[in-house]
Amino acid sequence: ASMDNTAKLWSATTGDLLRAFVGHEDWVVAAVFSPTGGQVLTASMDNTAKLWSATTGDLLRAFVGHEDWVVAAVFSPTGGQVLTASMDNTA
């Protein structure tokens, strides 16, 4: 979990910070790459999941509708859909 409300992308080779995904209003508890690697999906205790450009760090879309923490978020195998799970007992 990230208590600074961000997800960060690091170089596996150098350890350098490549970009931060800034925009959640509470802890980020999960982050995953899309199947193509071009997007990042984050899940947060602010009750949202967010979709980001992996290249620029720009917010592409916010998934809003849960009434409690979003604790997991994943892409479908083709990347065309997103599945979220929340402490509100819904997915």
Side-chain angles (χ1 to χ4, degrees):
S2 174
M3 294 173 46
D4 69 358
N5 305 347
T6 69
K8 292 184 169 74
L9 179 62
W10 305 87
S11 168
T13 305
T14 66
D16 292 339
L17 177 64
L18 301 175
R19 72 193 38 81
F21 302 97
V22 178
H24 280 291
E25 297 177 11
D26 208 334
W27 294 12
V28 175
V29 296
V32 295
F33 277 102
S34 65
T36 63
Q39 298 172 329
V40 172
L41 179 64
T42 55
S44 173
M45 291 170 59
D46 67 5
N47 305 353
T48 70
K50 294 189 176 188
L51 183 65
W52 312 85
S53 166
T55 305
T56 65
D58 291 339
L59 178 63
L60 303 175
R61 182 165 294 109
F63 300 97
V64 179
H66 282 292
E67 296 177 6
D68 207 341
W69 302 348
V70 178
V71 295
V74 296
F75 286 94
S76 64
T78 62
Q81 296 174 311
V82 166
L83 177 67
T84 59
S86 171
M87 295 293 286
D88 67 6
N89 298 317
T90 67

